[in-house]
Structure formats: structure tokens, C-alpha cells
Amino acid sequence: QVQLVESGGGLVQAGGSLRLSCAASERTFSTYSMGWFRQAPGKTREFVAAIRWSGESTYYADSVKGRFTISRDNAKNTVYLQMNSLKPEDTAVYYCNRIAFTTRNPVYDHWGQGTQVTVSS
């Protein structure tokens, strides 16, 4: 079972930035698309961003477009999420997962522990 380990979260003021990382244990990481998701208290988990295996194509939820940037380093089996101009409504636990790029649905049933992002107003 592939392991996904998210890190980089924290407490930041509105307008600030954070960079999240997700390290995957699978050797075939470089062959598939990856995505970021988030879950705010009392809400269902939602799609945030996706990136194809090559890094050439990305896709974002409307709520983060222009503020977040997804990237990957296949040599390190790691995907990143640069988050700028953070808003209080970005507060959530952030998770990564393998993703079906065209449907934005997660592929794996299991999730990592996630990383908490809290944005204060």
C-alpha cells in the first residue's frame, strides 16, 4: 500500500503563504497524476489542484485559481502546493492523493494524515 505523507502546514495570517509537500512511497509515482484535496471542519473533502505525471498540465478549483500553484519533483517522489494570498476560508486539513486528472477524483481509498492549514483573519 502506497504511503502518502503530507507536511508544511501551519498557522498563518490572511494574505500570507505556505508551501505544502507530499511525499509518496511508490516507485511508479512519476507515471501518474497527483492531486491535492482539503477538508474543512464540518464539510466534505473537496478537490483543490491536480497535476499530470509530466507536470505539463495542471488544473485548479475556482476557489484557489490564481493563488495556489501545484508542482512536482518526480526524482523526489514529491508533489508540492504553493499557497499564496491565503484566506480564512482556506483553513482545512490538506491531503494529497493519486488522482484521475479528467474527473478530479482520488484514486486511492486510503489517505495520509494530512497537514493542517489555519489562516487567521
Side-chain angles (χ1 to χ4, degrees):
Q1 173 171 305
V2 63
Q3 289 188 329
L4 302 167
V5 180
E6 302 92 347
S7 62
L11 173 63
V12 64
Q13 289 187 334
S17 299
L18 284 173
R19 189 194 193 204
L20 307 183
S21 299
C22 166
S25 63
E26 197 167 33
R27 291 184 177 183
T28 56
F29 171 86
S30 63
T31 66
Y32 50 78
S33 300
M34 287 293 293
W36 283 96
F37 301 80
R38 67 186 181 186
Q39 187 168 18
K43 296 188 177 181
T44 57
R45 189 174 287 148
E46 65 176 2
F47 165 78
V48 175
I51 186 167
R52 285 200 185 272
W53 67 271
S54 63
E56 291 182 354
S57 297
T58 58
Y59 189 86
Y60 299 91
D62 288 343
S63 59
V64 307
K65 199 172 297 181
R67 300 187 298 121
F68 291 10
T69 302
I70 188 171
S71 62
R72 65 190 297 160
D73 184 339
N74 287 339
K76 296 182 178 180
N77 279 16
T78 301
V79 62
Y80 305 97
L81 186 68
Q82 177 67 43
M83 306 186 297
N84 298 329
S85 302
L86 283 161
K87 304 175 181 180
E89 51 263 44
D90 294 319
T91 295
V93 179
Y94 284 71
Y95 303 88
C96 65
N97 203 321
R98 182 177 174 178
I99 195 170
F101 192 85
T102 53
T103 64
R104 329 297 181 214
N105 290 325
V107 170
Y108 299 133
D109 292 333
H110 62 277
W111 298 82
Q113 83 288 350
T115 186
Q116 175 71 49
V117 172
T118 303
V119 184
S120 62
S121 57

